[in-house]
Amino acid sequence: MLDKEELLRLYNLDLEELLNISKMYVKDEVEFCSLINARNGKCSQNCKYCAQSSHYNTEIDSFPLVEIDEVRKSAQDALKNKASRFAIVTSGKTPDESDFDKMLEMIEEINKIDGLKSCASIGILNEEQAKRLAKAGLKRFHHNINTSRTYYPEVCTTHSFEERINTCKLVKKYGMELCCGVILGMGETVEQRIEMAMILSEIEPESIPINILMPIPHTPFESYIDKIDEENILRTLAVIKIANPKSVLRFCGGRMRLSKENQEKALTTCVDGLMVGNYLTTVGAKPDEDIVMVKNLGKKIK
């Protein structure tokens, strides 16, 4: 694993030189994934970026866990849009035990669809929950570190960074793949972005989703639109890829803050995965536009 000083040196190289290095680790194919927002709002946690937190009056529509038929239909639509993985995503610190059996049924339904692998992003897990998810056949579990260990208290105080790390360890312990990434532009320093790359390297996730903060009105980060620019987004992507060459680096929420030119530059130099369609509370590109973009770059869709 590269040390902090070396990663910082790489971060500060001429941008084209840096991207030429990260390009060595990028695959010729792009993995598409998609999700369903399966339960929205009323979250007890105070994550300062999040529209779904009950601590902030963001005026979003809250709804309980959706029906299994809706998950099945969304999963089938995702497959038509070239996604090979489909996630159920729910708000809340941890899975609600009253809903957990239904979540397991959703996972089983997704696994019945040929060509689609099940994913879930349902919060902080305990050991029994991790065991039951694995038994239900969940292929991949998503749980971000979001930021660096040193910056985490500036982002959330209702749970700890170590709780997130423990969930990642449980996912690995029970044989599921791990999807674990970050949110850029929340006020972190360059050094803390390097810390993120190093922590991810220690965790060894199969997939690293990269989110770029989309400031939500009435949250504490509502004015954080200028905390990172496009060049520093590209630099961070490149360094994370260099530090995690075996992981699929995936564009997720906030990608639309980058110009089309820089999205394409990232896909040829440091990114080899895309979340297609809309995200949880923000709008993404149209799936057919992403399909065309990837093909025009000479890449295959995995």
Side-chain angles (χ1 to χ4, degrees):
M1 183 174 72
L2 297 176
D3 61 25
K4 187 173 182 179
E5 289 72 21
E6 177 60 12
L7 289 174
L8 189 58
R9 184 191 72 80
L10 290 169
Y11 190 102
N12 289 313
L13 286 174
D14 172 80
L15 180 59
E16 295 306 317
E17 184 179 354
L18 171 60
L19 293 176
N20 280 335
I21 296 171
S22 64
K23 188 175 183 178
M24 295 188 294
Y25 305 109
V26 173
K27 303 176 183 66
D28 290 329
E29 56 189 15
V30 179
E31 182 184 82
F32 279 16
C33 70
S34 191
L35 61 78
I36 181 172
N37 187 355
R39 186 178 64 211
N40 197 56
K42 296 184 179 179
C43 181
S44 64
Q45 304 304 286
N46 68 354
C47 304
K48 293 180 181 178
Y49 56 83
C50 189
Q52 301 198 57
S53 172
S54 60
H55 292 255
Y56 319 120
N57 184 25
T58 58
E59 301 177 353
I60 64 165
D61 292 329
S62 298
F63 53 81
L65 195 67
V66 300
E67 295 302 318
I68 292 174
D69 285 347
E70 187 173 344
V71 172
R72 185 186 303 111
K73 181 181 182 303
S74 292
Q76 291 167 340
D77 288 343
L79 186 64
K80 291 175 186 176
N81 291 327
K82 307 295 185 182
S84 57
R85 298 179 182 275
F86 183 77
I88 59 168
V89 184
T90 59
S91 60
K93 179 181 179 181
T94 62
D96 189 328
E97 284 301 325
S98 64
D99 286 336
F100 196 62
D101 285 344
K102 190 174 177 181
M103 293 178 189
L104 297 178
E105 288 183 56
M106 291 175 177
I107 290 162
E108 291 168 354
E109 282 299 312
I110 296 167
N111 285 337
K112 291 176 184 177
I113 301 173
D114 289 339
L116 209 56
K117 297 177 181 177
S118 58
C119 303
S121 180
I122 55 178
I124 292 169
L125 299 178
N126 61 38
E127 187 133 3
E128 181 61 24
Q129 290 166 337
K131 189 185 299 183
R132 292 178 68 192
L133 286 166
K135 187 176 180 180
L138 182 66
K139 305 301 181 185
R140 180 176 286 180
F141 191 87
H142 166 260
H143 196 66
N144 287 340
I145 57 170
N146 283 338
T147 190
S148 71
R149 182 179 274 105
T150 56
Y151 194 64
Y152 203 82
E154 301 299 320
V155 175
C156 179
T157 59
T158 49
H159 63 265
S160 70
F161 188 85
E162 298 310 322
E163 286 179 274
R164 287 186 172 270
I165 295 295
N166 185 60
T167 291
C168 294
K169 290 178 179 177
L170 285 173
V171 170
K172 291 278 192 176
K173 177 178 178 179
Y174 286 97
M176 294 172 282
E177 294 181 358
L178 176 64
C179 181
C180 179
V182 296
I183 306 171
L184 304 178
M186 296 195 293
E188 74 283 347
T189 65
V190 169
E191 288 77 10
Q192 285 165 332
R193 292 174 200 149
I194 300 300
E195 289 175 31
M196 295 181 213
M198 295 181 69
I199 292 165
L200 291 169
S201 180
E202 293 171 7
I203 297 171
E204 297 184 328
E206 280 77 14
S207 171
I208 299 177
I210 302 292
N211 300 278
I212 305 159
L213 180 70
M214 296 291 287
I216 304 295
H218 308 299
T219 64
F221 289 169
E222 66 178 348
S223 64
Y224 279 32
I225 191 66
D226 60 350
K227 296 296 183 180
I228 192 168
D229 58 20
E230 294 197 28
E231 179 180 328
N232 278 284
I233 290 168
L234 290 174
R235 289 183 180 279
T236 305
L237 289 167
V239 167
I240 291 177
K241 186 63 180 178
I242 292 166
N244 299 271
K246 295 180 180 178
S247 302
V248 172
L249 201 61
R250 187 183 308 277
F251 261 146
C252 290
R255 166 167 61 105
M256 308 313 291
R257 283 187 58 183
L258 286 172
S259 67
K260 186 173 185 292
E261 178 186 356
N262 280 332
Q263 288 182 48
E264 292 176 349
K265 182 177 288 189
L267 281 164
T268 56
T269 60
C270 46
V271 170
D272 31 33
L274 282 178
M275 177 168 284
V276 294
N278 291 334
Y279 308 113
L280 292 177
T281 57
T282 58
V283 176
K286 294 179 180 178
D288 57 346
E289 292 175 357
D290 282 337
I291 292 168
V292 170
M293 177 172 65
V294 168
K295 289 184 176 179
N296 285 345
L297 292 173
K299 302 256 184 179
K300 297 178 182 177
I301 299 173
K302 183 175 179 181

